[in-house]
Amino acid sequence: MNNTPLVLDGVAIAGQIKAEVAAEVQQLRAKGTTPGLAVILVGHVPASEIYVRSKVKTCGELGIYSEMLTPPESVTTDEMLKIVAELNAREDIDGILIQLPLPKHVDTKRLLEAVSPDKDVDGFHPVNVGRLQSGQPGLAPCTPAGIMEILRRSKLPVSGQNAVVVGRSDIVGKPAAMMLLNASATVTVCHSKTRDLAAVTRGADLLVAAIGRPGFVTREMVKPGATLIDVGINRITDVAEVGRFFPNDTARAATFAKRGSVVVGDIHPAAFAVSGAYTPVPGGVGALTIAMLMQNTVTAAKLRRGLAAGKS
């Protein structure tokens, strides 16, 4: 067995996808179609503002038209529904993204379901969830789709593998499990009520950790040689925690000294040493999310115009 794990470079893979999307956009524009994305950002949440700016910037780099709508924090559910209805009706907008979280007084579920399924580039609408389950063409959630791209482009086996997904969120855990099942893996979904979790994870050839707890999956929970996909991005601000997760890591210590925090995934870094391949944090799965959003926007533009996915 190869004792040196393969580091799955999400940044490089995202770069490949963006280059392909840019070429698709160029072909569509040559035929008179420019894919368009509308992002709705409510109020002023610094993290969301940074993320949305990154999405808009990437649209510009790839030739996708983008529009950012910024209703105030006081916006009502009815006012938001009106904005969504107007975007649904616009021919120049192929994708609608509502940046979460929304203010507590706004009905998030109602709004997400108001987005036309054909413009739902987040892949959250029940119609798209059903399309994913039944294997029909549609728009899939960006992070799980990114996971599948990492596996495919790294030529890692999925068919016939024992895959374990730790976490059952509607955004990552459930759709990731469905995509792996559609790719002929044998899938187990674990969660907070799973008994003897370590016994289940130790049987995984492919382990996806998406539970939102820093370093939750330890070395002892991992089968030697397994592929580890770490979806977690947890910010650590306690120096003792930094020492526990990254002992003798001078680079992380320097980052912590400079910024007052470092990030760690849902898998303890010590577990990577026994793996066959793994996604680092940062630089792994997180890098794919915006790239897959761009791909979904182009896919939506094609599907809405009756063009087969992957064809221009």
Side-chain angles (χ1 to χ4, degrees), residues 29 57-58 79 111 119 131 168 186 190 215 294:
R29 293 180 70 158
K57 180 185 175 190
T58 305
E79 288 168 339
L111 278 174
K119 297 188 177 189
R131 286 172 177 163
R168 53 177 168 178
T186 300
C190 299
M294 300 297 112

Side-chain angles (χ1 to χ4, degrees), residues 244-265:
R244 182 166 72 87
F245 288 122
F246 305 106
N248 305 316
D249 189 330
T250 54
R252 299 273 183 168
T255 299
F256 183 79
K258 182 179 179 181
R259 300 181 182 172
S261 67
V262 293
V263 295
V264 66

Side-chain angles (χ1 to χ4, degrees), residues 1-10 13 147 150-158 161 164 204-209 217 222-231 267-281 283-285:
M1 187 180 76
N2 183 6
N3 292 322
T4 304
L6 173 65
V7 180
L8 305 175
D9 188 342
I13 293 171
I147 291 170
I150 288 173
L151 295 170
R152 183 175 72 83
R153 291 169 188 262
S154 303
K155 296 180 170 55
L156 291 167
V158 176
Q161 298 288 289
V164 173
D205 304 308
L206 172 57
L207 179 60
V208 178
V217 175
V222 171
K223 175 182 179 179
T227 296
L228 305 181
I229 304 294
D230 194 342
V231 182
I267 299 175
H268 195 294
F272 295 143
V274 299
S275 71
Y278 70 91
T279 58
V281 178
V285 175

Side-chain angles (χ1 to χ4, degrees), residues 16-307:
Q16 294 171 13
I17 294 168
K18 288 176 185 177
E20 291 165 10
V21 169
E24 287 185 85
V25 171
Q26 194 171 10
Q27 291 170 10
L28 285 170
R29 293 180 70 158
K31 297 180 179 181
T33 295
T34 299
L37 175 67
V39 183
I40 305 173
L41 174 63
V42 178
H44 298 285
V45 179
S48 293
E49 289 174 341
I50 292 168
Y51 196 33
V52 166
R53 279 199 297 269
S54 181
K55 291 172 180 176
V56 170
K57 180 185 175 190
T58 305
C59 282
E61 291 169 350
L62 304 186
I64 295 171
Y65 169 74
S66 65
E67 196 169 301
M68 184 166 68
L69 295 86
T70 55
E73 180 95 14
S74 59
V75 71
T76 65
T77 299
D78 285 342
E79 288 168 339
M80 285 286 287
L81 286 169
K82 184 179 177 183
I83 293 170
V84 170
E86 290 171 353
L87 293 172
N88 280 339
R90 283 177 53 180
E91 189 57 30
D92 62 329
I93 295 297
D94 297 293
I96 301 170
L97 186 147
I98 301 172
Q99 184 65 41
L100 304 179
L102 292 171
K104 290 182 180 178
H105 66 272
V106 176
D107 189 336
T108 299
K109 183 179 178 183
R110 193 174 163 200
L111 278 174
L112 293 177
E113 293 189 3
V115 174
S116 167
D118 296 335
K119 297 188 177 189
D120 167 40
V121 286
D122 263 333
F124 295 161
H125 194 285
V127 168
N128 283 322
V129 174
R131 286 172 177 163
L132 175 61
Q133 181 171 327
S134 58
Q136 297 178 49
L139 301 171
C142 298
T143 300
I147 291 170
M148 299 308 293
E149 284 298 317
I150 288 173
L151 295 170
R152 183 175 72 83
R153 291 169 188 262
S154 303
K155 296 180 170 55
L156 291 167
V158 176
S159 178
Q161 298 288 289
N162 287 325
V164 173
V165 179
V166 183
R168 53 177 168 178
S169 73
D170 292 337
I171 295 172
V172 180
K174 289 177 185 175
M178 187 53 60
M179 289 178 195
L180 289 164
L181 188 61
N182 288 346
S184 299
T186 300
V187 183
T188 303
V189 180
C190 299
H191 44 77
S192 59
K193 302 288 192 257
T194 300
R195 287 182 290 183
D196 198 358
L197 177 62
V200 181
T201 58
R202 278 195 296 268
D205 304 308
L206 172 57
L207 179 60
V208 178
I211 200 165
R213 299 185 191 176
F216 180 78
V217 175
T218 62
R219 181 174 179 143
E220 295 73 30
M221 297 168 69
V222 171
K223 175 182 179 179
T227 296
L228 305 181
I229 304 294
D230 194 342
V231 182
I233 301 177
N234 308 286
R235 196 159 293 281
I236 304 298
T237 56
D238 177 21
V239 66
E241 288 285 277
V242 176
R244 182 166 72 87
F245 288 122
F246 305 106
N248 305 316
D249 189 330
T250 54
R252 299 273 183 168
T255 299
F256 183 79
K258 182 179 179 181
R259 300 181 182 172
S261 67
V262 293
V263 295
V264 66
D266 291 352
I267 299 175
H268 195 294
F272 295 143
V274 299
S275 71
Y278 70 91
T279 58
V281 178
V285 175
L288 271 291
T289 303
I290 290 180
M292 297 314 298
L293 172 64
M294 300 297 112
Q295 180 63 72
N296 269 357
T297 302
V298 173
T299 299
K302 290 181 174 183
L303 291 173
R304 290 181 63 238
R305 290 164 180 80
L307 301 170

